[in-house]
Amino acid sequence: MEAEAPGMTTNVHLTVATPDRMRELGRRLAGLLRPGDLLLLSGQLGAGKTTLTRGLGEGLGVRGAVTSPTFVIARVHPSLVAGPPLVHVDAYRLGGGLEEMEDLDLDVSLPDSVVVVEWGEGRVEELSEDRLHIVISRAEGGDGLSCDETGDVADVREVSLTGVGERWAETDLSVLIDY
């Protein structure tokens, strides 16, 4: 795991070996989030976007199981701990840009919530000048499977977090490296 440009924490790259570690990354990232944060998740089907979001939900202390909202498009998970609600959106089935997303009222939810949009790249960037792009890809070799030092199969993913805007320039994403 490494951070680009020491001291500049707007771009961090991580290697995540298992789905449990992806959830843990989500829990740790949740500790950095605040109302008004917009996260855009990209990656192939099965890359781990919903697993990461599940960890975010656990870290934020929200109500309800965080599952893929593919067929309902969006789910709101209220906080159980007086924190921000988590709005989890899956834009996979939406073909248009922000205009198609307007029916979801994300602009209304954003100031008070943490909004996570799977497949949001190229669709919702206009919602906020400050956003965190998270790209999850399978490790080299294609399927992401490898053996760790104990011989157990690992499901390796590469995760790139890129902060855009002042909010993320002021946030030390490198704290995620040491998990």
Side-chain angles (χ1 to χ4, degrees):
M1 295 182 254
E2 64 184 59
E4 283 190 3
M8 182 71 163
T9 59
T10 58
N11 198 343
V12 172
H13 299 280
L14 309 162
T15 300
V16 180
T18 66
D20 286 340
R21 299 291 283 167
M22 187 68 76
R23 277 176 80 165
E24 177 60 24
L25 174 60
R27 285 190 290 269
R28 291 178 54 89
L29 177 57
L32 300 176
L33 300 178
R34 61 186 187 210
D37 283 342
L38 174 64
L39 286 70
L40 292 98
L41 275 58
S42 300
Q44 310 101 309
L45 286 170
K49 297 178 297 295
T50 300
T51 301
L52 177 72
T53 306
R54 190 169 295 123
L56 288 170
E58 291 168 5
L60 291 169
V62 300
R63 184 180 71 206
V66 175
T67 60
S68 178
T70 299
F71 296 103
V72 296
I73 309 300
R75 282 197 177 96
V76 178
H77 298 274
S79 176
L80 296 171
V81 295
L86 173 66
V87 178
H88 184 197
V89 179
D90 187 331
Y92 183 73
R93 296 186 179 280
L94 302 178
L98 187 59
E99 62 280 350
E100 190 171 354
M101 303 285 285
E102 283 181 355
D103 290 339
L104 299 176
D105 289 330
L106 295 180
D107 54 339
V108 173
S109 300
L110 186 58
D112 301 320
S113 306
V114 170
V115 176
V116 176
V117 184
E118 296 186 29
W119 306 96
E121 194 168 353
R123 292 185 169 106
V124 296
E125 287 89 341
E126 295 172 32
L127 284 174
S128 178
E129 292 179 9
D130 299 307
R131 57 194 174 273
L132 183 63
H133 291 257
I134 302 172
V135 178
I136 305 171
S137 57
R138 291 187 168 95
E140 289 189 33
D143 63 6
L145 300 177
S146 65
C147 290
D148 65 15
E149 59 276 353
T150 66
D152 292 335
V153 174
D155 196 9
V156 180
R157 301 292 193 258
E158 300 295 329
V159 181
S160 175
L161 296 97
T162 304
V164 175
E166 283 184 46
R167 188 271 189 261
W168 294 104
E170 299 168 354
T171 303
D172 185 5
L173 293 174
S174 70
V175 300
L176 300 171
I177 293 174
D178 297 325
Y179 83 102

